[in-house]
Amino acid sequence: MPLISIKNLTKIYKNDGVETPVLNGLDFSMDSGEFLAIMGPSGSGKSTLLHILGLLDEATSGEYFLDGKNIREYSKEEIAHIRNKTIGFVFQAFNLLPRASVLENVKLPLIYSNVPEIEWEGRARKAIDAVGLSHRVNHEPSQLSGGEKQRVAIARALVNDPKIIFADEPTGNLDSKSGKAVMKILQNLNEHEGHTVILITHETNTAEHAHRIINLSDGKIIDDKKVGNRQSVFNK
């Protein structure tokens, strides 16, 4: 059974009576443990698709099955729980609290979880160690490089041990060296820790770290292919 399956998915935004179609009848599925990259030019619908898959937005029509169950069958409370426990988000803009330490930023998702407070610090420190930032645990974001900020964002996404990690242009604000470091972490989480990864990117070199690439154009899938010569940052 696929982890994710979408059927005839559409998204139409309405503003002052004007309808703007963004996604036009998408169909695809993916299995647990896959690393999927979604590519496309600006306005192709890739971020809208990620927001729907990540339960941050709802489709206008069509079906979305997660772990075999139609998302429309879940209550709002169940959706919130899935978003907190099953899904981790990494955004291009990092979205860190500026006056909170690395440790405090990474702890944040635990506030909304069922994890006992006595376990929060241990979990957060484990996630921070997984991205190689134990030496920065008490620093604030203003004291970190762009690459370090993104690694904090990944640690925050990891702290609830999610099944799926959604990464929206995670290397978009980084230099090439920092970008490779971030991709190494994401590949490690996929290959060695078993997390399913869905990556949004406009960079071909970044997308080729995935197992599979879906290309979008004007809200439609124009290509869905396996990556034959997958790049691995572990060999570099």
Side-chain angles (χ1 to χ4, degrees):
M1 181 178 63
L3 174 62
I4 285 174
S5 180
I6 64 172
K7 299 179 180 180
N8 199 29
L9 198 77
T10 70
K11 180 65 176 181
I12 300 171
Y13 289 110
K14 297 181 181 180
N15 186 25
D16 293 331
V18 177
E19 293 190 351
T20 304
V22 181
L23 299 177
N24 300 296
L26 302 189
D27 293 277
F28 75 88
S29 61
M30 65 178 295
D31 295 326
S32 181
E34 271 197 81
F35 190 149
L36 172 69
I38 300 173
M39 292 192 70
S42 179
S44 61
K46 57 187 185 295
S47 289
T48 298
L49 176 58
L50 179 139
H51 290 161
I52 292 172
L53 296 178
L55 306 178
L56 298 174
D57 197 0
E58 295 182 7
T60 302
S61 64
E63 296 178 305
Y64 171 20
F65 295 88
L66 181 62
D67 262 343
K69 185 172 179 178
N70 195 318
I71 284 300
R72 298 187 190 279
E73 297 177 14
Y74 289 101
S75 68
K76 288 185 178 180
E77 291 75 18
E78 287 173 321
I79 290 288
H81 177 74
I82 292 169
R83 200 163 49 222
N84 183 256
K85 175 61 182 170
T86 304
I87 295 171
F89 295 99
V90 181
F91 298 104
Q92 179 177 355
F94 317 131
N95 294 352
L96 302 178
L97 297 178
R99 302 201 177 279
S101 68
V102 167
L103 182 63
E104 290 165 339
N105 267 287
V106 174
K107 278 184 183 179
L108 194 61
L110 296 170
I111 296 172
Y112 307 101
S113 73
N114 296 322
V115 177
E117 188 172 355
I118 194 171
E119 297 180 19
W120 289 2
E121 182 157 340
R123 279 195 174 221
R125 287 184 179 275
K126 181 180 178 182
I128 292 166
D129 184 58
V131 299
L133 282 181
S134 295
H135 62 298
R136 297 289 204 190
V137 71
N138 294 316
H139 288 63
E140 293 183 357
S142 62
Q143 299 170 298
L144 305 177
S145 69
E148 288 172 332
K149 290 176 185 176
Q150 194 59 287
R151 285 152 67 187
V152 175
I154 293 172
R156 182 183 56 196
L158 285 177
V159 76
N160 273 326
D161 193 26
K163 183 178 290 188
I164 310 168
I165 296 172
F166 290 96
D168 192 357
E169 299 279 8
T171 62
N173 284 338
L174 306 179
D175 59 52
S176 59
K177 183 179 179 181
S178 298
K180 285 180 180 179
V182 165
M183 291 311 301
K184 182 173 183 177
I185 291 169
L186 290 175
Q187 258 189 340
N188 181 65
L189 293 172
N190 173 249
E191 294 181 12
H192 302 298
E193 303 296 333
H195 296 276
T196 302
V197 178
I198 299 179
L199 168 74
I200 297 290
T201 183
H202 65 277
E203 301 166 338
T204 301
N205 287 343
T206 300
E208 288 175 348
H209 292 292
H211 298 127
R212 174 180 164 203
I213 300 174
I214 287 178
N215 272 289
L216 295 182
S217 180
D218 296 326
K220 297 179 180 179
I221 294 175
I222 58 170
D223 195 28
D224 183 347
K225 63 183 180 182
K226 299 284 186 181
V227 178
N229 296 310
R230 185 189 185 202
Q231 290 196 42
S232 176
V233 284
F234 299 112
N235 298 327
K236 298 182 178 181

